[in-house]
Amino acid sequence: MPTDTAGVTASSATPPNLYGGLEGPDSMYLKLISSDGHEFVVRRDFAVIASPTIKNMLSGPGQYSESQPNEIYLKDIPSHVLINVCRYFAYKAKYTNSSIDIPEFPIDIQVVLELLVASDFLDC
Amino acid sequence: MSNIVIVVQPSILPVSQLLREKCNSPDFLTNNIWKIAFSPCSQYLAIPKQDIDGQHCVLVVHCSDWHAKNVTESTMRIHNQFNCTAAIWSLAFGQRTSKSNLRIDRRPFDASTLSTPTVRRGSLDRRSSLPVVNRRYDFSKNLFLAAGLASGKIEIWNIDTGELILVLKDHQLTVCGLDFTSCTMQLASCSHDTTIKLWDLFDDGNMYKTLNEWTHAINTVKWSPDETILCAVGPYELVVLFNTTTWKELFRLDGHLHTVVDCAFSSDSAVLVTASYDTRVLMWSTTTGEILKGFAHKIPKPLKIYAGGDNGAFVRSVAITKSNQFLITACDDNKVRWFPLLSDQSSSMIYEQTEPNVLYVATTPDGNTMAVSNRNGEVHLFSTLSTLSMNQPSSLKCFCRSAINTYSGVKRKDLLNLPIMRPLINYVLYKDI
């Protein structure tokens, strides 16, 4: 059942066949938790395609094995950076193999350095 | 990370035939077209020609859609024909774009990150555009074309009304290079009389600075997109970068072996590419002044004695496509080549096409079209979209690098001292290319 900590959670009150959920190994969504406890729910396929690190965290053994709860705790990435990462996942999914003009991804000057470190960690 | 195969297939556009008919019409003589220019809105193309009476003129061609499939007379037409008093050596379009294009962020970062520089436009605005002063000319609204002539004059035409607005007379000899800044209507001109002059068009064309430290001509001047650096290239292997606020030399870049004829900046002003008669295009970092990569046009590399002399493969012009994907060059061995700019694998070309007697390559700012001019008085148009369709969005790391370089502005040297790991700093400085 969805946790009740601060942040956005995928509610399983919506019909499961419409939106998918957070349960099980084939869930449609994934929960990324920032270092300050903010939870971001993103599409699993977007995150896995964009970031090989997240893909390894989900499928690999050992300390990264969090495939069951579908939650990934990123202890080095604060929420103001992680929200930009999630926006990038959506941007990339939208414009991959697109025939229209791809606009530039806007990045705010305040977060750009931390976003660089996070993107280096996530390899995206 | 899997390698995406980049396929480059520039295809000739249907409007190219129409343009060729217009250029080759019996009204015009066949001349060497040394320079062509696209407007910032990508809809106008300026071509210098000479008509049947020997009168030098500039044709401004308007086309709302260079990629139109059904080409009719209304798709592309000659918008203006400006008659000039002498041979035209250089062209530049200028238009005042809105301020939102340049990021002016004067708020300081928090203590743990890079300190914000004052972007050059801030200091410029204080100096030149006092709003209470009455000005004779208003350059803030329309699109303007500046043409540099062999007599040393610079004629500035208003494209929308078609009239000659201003003639800037100060150079003694041919004005061979012109460049407008991207949004503040500053014009830099360089000439065979060994000087570089800077004109402020918001101040009625006031020439506020002359740089004359050389005893030889300067071939080309270019502003960096964030207007903090001015690059001048010339014979005797000269490549020099100036700080545009203090007008002191930032770097004198050594590495070429022959005259340097053309240069281009990447969109974040961090990378400069220069084209030279020594058959190479070199890529430099504007932060550290080092050579990042070289692109060869003659393989095997010519010996120094040929590189510095006649080798048959002078590189005449270079252009960078939008989002710094590719480098396009025009070389005297009749080939137009495409190189991947930021690929860390290779520096070999990925495409070449044969264009007899090619002289100059220009790309539209929106990245869709490329024009190539040659010695036969023709201009050919190609679509670059077929390459972009293989274009995937860049990685987030790449966007961050581009954003950091764009924001750093005048304080570019501070990039060396960022509070992040050394490999990441090298990435930001493009050192791992």
Side-chain angles (χ1 to χ4, degrees):
Chain A
M1 285 293 109
T3 58
D4 52 5
T5 48
V8 180
T9 58
S11 161
S12 61
T14 53
N17 51 357
L18 197 57
Y19 285 118
L22 276 177
E23 318 301 322
D26 293 330
S27 68
M28 198 157 145
Y29 291 93
L30 198 53
K31 189 185 284 189
L32 303 174
I33 308 177
S34 66
S35 59
D36 44 348
H38 198 106
E39 297 178 350
F40 294 87
V41 176
V42 293
R43 281 272 296 264
R44 189 193 188 97
D45 43 354
F46 291 0
V48 163
I49 288 175
S51 167
T53 314
I54 289 187
K55 185 172 171 193
N56 291 337
M57 282 177 169
L58 289 175
S59 58
Q63 61 172 170
Y64 284 157
S65 157
E66 291 166 273
S67 44
Q68 270 310 93
N70 287 327
E71 287 179 3
I72 297 182
Y73 178 54
L74 300 159
K75 61 176 168 42
D76 295 324
I77 306 182
S79 57
H80 63 280
V81 174
L82 191 52
I83 191 170
N84 282 299
V85 175
C86 296
R87 286 189 193 132
Y88 176 75
F89 290 160
Y91 165 91
K92 177 162 179 158
K94 175 167 179 181
Y95 290 112
T96 299
N97 294 330
S98 151
S99 51
I100 58 175
D101 239 355
I102 301 179
E104 202 187 309
F105 181 68
I107 302 180
D108 196 35
I109 189 174
Q110 309 284 356
V111 301
V112 66
L113 272 185
E114 293 165 288
L115 193 56
L116 176 68
V117 176
S119 66
D120 185 51
F121 171 68
L122 292 173
D123 198 18
C124 69
Chain B
M1 196 74 105
S2 64
N3 288 339
I4 301 170
V5 173
I6 303 174
V7 171
V8 175
Q9 287 280 325
S11 50
I12 195 155
L13 288 171
V15 294
S16 184
Q17 184 61 29
L18 189 60
L19 183 61
R20 181 188 280 196
E21 282 161 25
K22 291 202 200 293
C23 285
N24 287 349
S25 76
D27 294 330
F28 297 114
L29 297 178
T30 312
N31 61 332
N32 296 340
I33 302 190
W34 290 98
K35 287 236 163 78
I36 53 180
F38 276 106
S39 65
C41 53
S42 305
Q43 290 187 349
Y44 294 90
L45 173 61
I47 305 172
K49 301 261 327 155
Q50 197 173 7
D51 77 12
I52 204 85
D53 307 314
Q55 166 89 41
H56 298 276
C57 58
V58 178
L59 283 185
V60 177
V61 172
H62 171 82
C63 181
S64 45
D65 180 12
W66 298 102
H67 290 260
K69 292 275 180 351
N70 306 326
V71 173
T72 59
E73 276 305 308
S74 61
T75 320
M76 188 186 79
R77 56 194 170 84
I78 296 186
H79 194 261
N80 302 89
Q81 182 171 339
F82 297 128
N83 290 329
C84 299
T85 50
I88 297 143
W89 278 70
S90 53
L91 287 172
F93 275 98
Q95 185 166 32
R96 205 239 173 129
T97 55
S98 62
K99 288 189 184 196
S100 59
N101 286 357
L102 256 196
R103 289 144 173 121
I104 317 175
D105 192 291
R106 306 213 187 135
R107 286 170 299 158
F109 272 103
D110 36 344
S112 59
T113 53
L114 182 63
S115 66
T116 307
T118 44
V119 179
R120 179 178 175 266
R121 285 195 60 243
S123 56
L124 248 195
D125 283 352
R126 279 197 295 276
R127 175 182 62 215
S128 63
S129 53
L130 303 169
V132 293
V133 176
N134 277 336
R135 304 227 170 262
R136 188 169 167 202
Y137 304 108
D138 180 18
F139 282 101
S140 57
K141 293 193 189 57
N142 310 67
L143 178 64
F144 294 93
L145 173 67
L149 308 181
S151 53
K153 296 196 192 138
I154 301 172
E155 298 189 346
I156 304 191
W157 306 83
N158 181 332
I159 298 287
D160 300 323
T161 63
E163 51 182 21
L164 174 64
I165 303 281
L166 192 52
V167 177
L168 301 172
K169 302 182 209 180
D170 208 41
H171 281 293
Q172 256 89 52
L173 294 174
T174 312
V175 177
C176 44
L178 278 180
D179 198 32
F180 272 100
T181 56
S182 42
C183 42
T184 49
M185 295 297 274
Q186 309 287 305
L187 179 64
S189 62
C190 64
S191 160
H192 285 173
D193 67 358
T194 77
T195 58
I196 296 177
K197 289 186 192 286
L198 296 140
W199 316 78
D200 183 357
L201 291 186
F202 281 151
D203 198 13
D204 285 343
N206 178 27
M207 186 196 77
Y208 59 88
K209 186 84 185 154
T210 304
L211 302 165
N212 56 354
E213 304 158 7
W214 309 276
T215 52
H216 54 77
I218 303 289
N219 284 333
T220 302
V221 273
K222 277 269 156 67
W223 295 92
S224 66
D226 63 353
E227 301 179 20
T228 54
I229 303 178
L230 183 76
C231 172
V233 291
Y236 303 111
E237 309 97 40
L238 176 79
V239 181
V240 60
L241 298 180
F242 287 96
N243 178 330
T244 52
T245 347
T246 60
W247 296 108
K248 292 212 172 26
E249 251 184 48
L250 268 180
F251 289 111
R252 194 171 278 241
L253 303 175
D254 268 322
H256 278 296
L257 300 169
H258 204 333
T259 310
V260 186
V261 286
D262 200 9
C263 58
F265 279 95
S266 63
S267 61
D268 56 359
S269 314
V271 166
L272 172 71
V273 288
T274 51
S276 159
Y277 285 171
D278 67 358
T279 76
R280 288 178 311 158
V281 168
L282 291 183
M283 190 167 129
W284 312 81
S285 157
T286 54
T287 325
T288 56
E290 299 171 335
I291 296 182
L292 297 170
K293 226 194 221 184
F295 299 98
H297 289 73
K298 197 173 162 87
I299 296 170
K301 234 165 73 162
L303 300 174
K304 284 208 173 138
I305 191 169
Y306 292 114
D310 190 15
N311 46 44
F314 290 171
V315 184
R316 296 264 173 200
S317 97
V318 70
I320 296 187
T321 59
K322 190 177 160 196
S323 65
N324 308 327
Q325 278 265 313
F326 301 110
L327 186 70
I328 313 177
T329 64
C331 186
D332 259 5
D333 60 355
N334 301 328
K335 293 216 164 49
V336 171
R337 290 180 175 85
W338 292 64
F339 294 90
L341 189 65
L342 299 180
S343 142
D344 46 359
Q345 261 87 45
S346 70
S347 55
S348 53
M349 69 182 174
I350 49 178
Y351 183 78
E352 70 176 13
Q353 66 189 60
T354 306
E355 288 285 328
N357 300 322
V358 62
L359 275 182
Y360 197 76
V361 170
T363 53
T364 53
D366 64 2
N368 296 340
T369 320
M370 168 177 98
V372 167
S373 73
N374 58 21
R375 289 182 200 265
N376 305 331
E378 295 168 353
V379 175
H380 299 165
L381 294 166
F382 295 90
S383 155
T384 55
L385 270 187
S386 51
T387 65
L388 290 181
S389 65
M390 298 300 289
N391 183 20
Q392 309 297 335
S394 314
S395 70
L396 186 58
K397 231 173 133 182
C398 216
F399 281 123
C400 288
R401 166 170 68 181
S402 177
I404 291 177
N405 278 310
T406 315
Y407 290 134
S408 57
V410 187
K411 299 253 185 86
R412 209 165 275 280
K413 289 267 178 13
D414 286 351
L415 283 182
L416 295 164
N417 302 326
L418 285 178
I420 51 181
M421 301 186 308
R422 174 87 2 213
L424 279 183
I425 294 184
N426 287 343
Y427 180 79
V428 168
L429 296 176
Y430 291 93
K431 275 200 191 155
D432 52 355
I433 295 284

